[in-house]
Amino acid sequence: MTRPPVTPTSDREPTAIQVFGVHGIGEVRPGDDLAALLKEEDLRDGDIVVITSKIVSKAEGRVRQGSDRTEAIEEETDRVVARRGDTVISQTRHGFVMAAAGVDASNTEPGTVLLLPEDSDASARRVRAALGGRVGVIISDTFGRPWRHGLTDVAIGAAGVRPLEDFRGGTDTHGNPLNATVTALIDEIAAAAELVKGKLAGVPVAIVRGLAHLVTADDGPGVRPLIRPADEDLFRYGSRDVVFARRTIREFSSAPVDPEAVRRAVAAGIAAPAPHHTTPWRFVLVESAETRSRLVDAMREAWIADLRGDGFTEQSITKRIRRGDVLRNAPYLAVPCLVMDGSHTYRDDRRNAAEREMFVVATGAGVENFLVQLAVEGLGSAWVSSTMFCRPVVREVLDLPESWDPMGCVAIGHAAAPPRDRAPRDAADFYVTR
């Protein structure tokens, strides 16, 4: 095929871009040298080679025997983002958020599934080096897009191609400042290459010509700059998984807590159900470091006094009061309180006790909403309920009305490390049917 040359008007903007499919590659097997399959091509300095990840996976032996795709998805998943029926959106250990953790049962032999390359950036670097380093290389895969139908190819690995174009700090043609415009160049190139590859045409590689100004002398950072960290993802939890996002965090980093995030968690807390259309929740947000220290010290002294009165040894007391360490080390505390405003008074103690229990349950529902929303906000938390053993002390330190009943203390902050996995629980062990 005769390919007309491209003459850019400058070193930044070409007059035209050409995209060619590479035909005749055939079935790729484990151990195949992808670069060797491309060396016969008329590659020119500044070309960008876009390779479908499937053939990279095949060449690297990322073929899993067995047709159980569900098990493979679980093994490749670092975090489940959302589920609906059999559809799972997962974050892989590479940081990609995608359907089925990138596990693919198409274009592979029956009884096998394909896994993503172990390190697509490294794969791209190896191919580029074998091709002489004068071209850019992109490894692409197909992703869905939130809020849009249809799939498109994006880059999951790259070498020798500038990944982003950052326009922030510049102005548009009308002089308006650009504050958020960062273009994903390698994703745009991957999508353009897919136009000539296609899903059924058996063309797994394309050459993009005319973008030599994006090809770099070194391998560059790969796709890392495009991967949004989970704590920056506003939609990182699906509706079915958000409850499980709440984990008890006992070690916090020094990162400050955004008070507005805690206030949004309070708004979630007071959305809980309550009896008689009441609002039995009050949240004391302890934002002063001095007040936090006084509160934890006062509770600690009250706990020690109680334990000594109960005859515990000093060794046992030291062990038991370690519950307060998570509160002392947290950068932010919240004290959920119960108020009985709007409760009914009955003639007998049995119904009055049940009335209080209804309000306690409603407060617990509010606390759980609060903890879950903290997780949605990217904050870790630990609920220390033993505050209830020293309610008068808490009221005194925080200057609370007598009618406010402290129901615990919540330590809040950014997790210093990922939480440990939950112990497995089978829901069937916790219900009966009648």
Side-chain angles (χ1 to χ4, degrees):
M1 178 186 298
T2 302
R3 297 172 179 170
V6 175
T7 306
T9 56
S10 72
D11 64 348
R12 291 184 57 81
E13 296 184 4
T15 57
I17 299 170
Q18 295 177 309
V19 185
F20 308 99
V22 176
H23 296 262
I25 287 181
E27 182 66 22
V28 173
R29 303 289 181 184
D32 282 354
D33 184 344
L34 295 180
L37 299 176
L38 299 172
K39 283 184 176 178
E40 298 301 318
E41 292 299 311
D42 179 23
L43 292 175
R44 304 179 186 178
D45 290 356
D47 282 352
I48 299 174
V49 179
V50 183
I51 307 172
T52 299
S53 66
K54 284 185 178 65
I55 68 168
V56 178
S57 295
K58 290 179 179 180
E60 295 179 353
R62 294 283 288 162
V63 182
R64 190 181 192 276
Q65 299 297 320
S67 56
D68 188 350
R69 188 167 178 241
T70 300
E71 184 178 343
I73 292 169
E74 291 177 356
E75 291 175 357
E76 293 295 300
T77 294
D78 186 57
R79 177 175 64 95
V80 173
V81 176
R83 299 180 194 268
R84 177 171 293 175
D86 293 333
T87 300
V88 179
I89 306 298
S90 306
Q91 178 179 314
T92 72
R93 62 178 176 276
H94 319 81
F96 307 135
V97 176
M98 58 193 308
V103 177
D104 199 338
S106 64
N107 290 308
T108 186
E109 294 181 359
T112 65
V113 293
L114 289 176
L115 313 179
L116 291 179
E118 285 280 2
D119 183 343
S120 295
D121 282 336
S123 302
R125 291 193 295 268
R126 286 192 293 270
V127 173
R128 185 182 193 231
L131 292 174
R134 54 198 179 87
V135 298
V137 175
I138 292 174
I139 310 296
S140 69
D141 199 71
T142 303
F143 277 51
R145 286 99 29 89
W147 305 294
R148 292 182 73 87
H149 288 298
L151 307 172
T152 187
D153 267 27
V154 303
I156 66 168
V161 187
R162 184 148 51 91
L164 296 168
E165 183 80 81
D166 192 344
F167 294 98
R168 291 172 299 182
T171 57
D172 63 18
T173 55
H174 297 283
N176 299 309
L178 299 174
N179 298 318
T181 304
V182 181
T183 301
L185 296 172
I186 53 177
D187 282 350
E188 292 182 327
I189 298 168
E194 178 60 15
L195 293 173
V196 300
K197 290 191 294 178
K199 299 299 177 193
L200 303 176
V203 180
V205 180
I207 298 169
V208 179
R209 182 163 295 160
L211 297 175
H213 61 287
L214 300 181
V215 176
T216 58
D218 58 10
D219 286 335
V223 298
R224 287 288 128 197
L226 276 72
I227 298 175
R228 189 188 302 276
D231 59 0
E232 295 180 9
D233 182 359
L234 297 179
F235 308 99
R236 62 189 176 277
Y237 299 119
S239 57
R240 296 192 180 199
D241 300 284
V242 66
V243 170
F244 300 98
R246 188 216 62 78
R247 303 295 300 277
T248 296
I249 302 297
R250 300 189 182 279
E251 295 183 11
F252 301 100
S253 73
S254 59
V257 172
D258 178 6
E260 293 306 311
V262 181
R263 285 158 174 71
R264 290 192 290 271
V266 171
I270 63 175
H276 316 316
H277 305 288
T278 59
T279 54
W281 320 278
R282 300 293 185 271
F283 289 84
V284 184
L285 307 183
V286 189
E287 298 180 344
S288 161
E290 188 272 334
T291 303
R292 288 197 301 274
S293 181
R294 284 198 298 116
L295 176 63
V296 174
D297 286 344
M299 288 193 296
R300 180 178 182 276
E301 293 305 314
W303 292 334
I304 290 173
D306 280 347
L307 293 168
R308 283 176 176 162
D310 290 335
F312 285 91
T313 66
E314 292 302 311
Q315 182 180 6
S316 178
I317 291 173
T318 299
K319 182 178 179 180
R320 286 172 176 269
I321 63 172
R322 286 175 185 164
R323 73 189 79 170
D325 289 349
V326 65
L327 300 178
R328 186 174 302 280
N329 297 328
Y332 197 110
L333 298 178
V335 179
C337 296
L338 160 67
V339 297
M340 295 291 291
D341 296 354
S343 62
H344 296 173
T345 302
Y346 299 97
R347 288 177 298 175
D348 61 276
D349 291 341
R350 175 183 61 82
R351 287 194 292 170
N352 285 328
E355 180 79 359
R356 176 172 174 80
E357 286 178 352
M358 286 168 30
F359 275 69
V360 170
V361 169
T363 302
V367 170
E368 177 68 2
N369 278 14
F370 178 71
L371 297 176
V372 169
Q373 185 61 31
L374 287 173
V376 171
E377 297 285 346
L379 292 169
S381 64
W383 183 22
V384 179
S385 54
S386 49
T387 299
M388 289 188 283
F389 291 124
C390 52
R391 284 170 170 151
V393 169
V394 176
R395 290 193 195 99
E396 180 181 356
V397 172
L398 299 180
D399 191 23
L400 303 180
E402 187 68 25
S403 60
W404 287 32
D405 227 349
M407 302 299 286
C409 189
V410 180
I412 302 170
H414 294 276
R420 290 178 295 179
D421 291 337
R422 279 191 176 90
R425 295 175 182 171
D426 186 344
D429 296 335
F430 297 88
Y431 65 78
V432 296
T433 58
R434 296 288 187 262

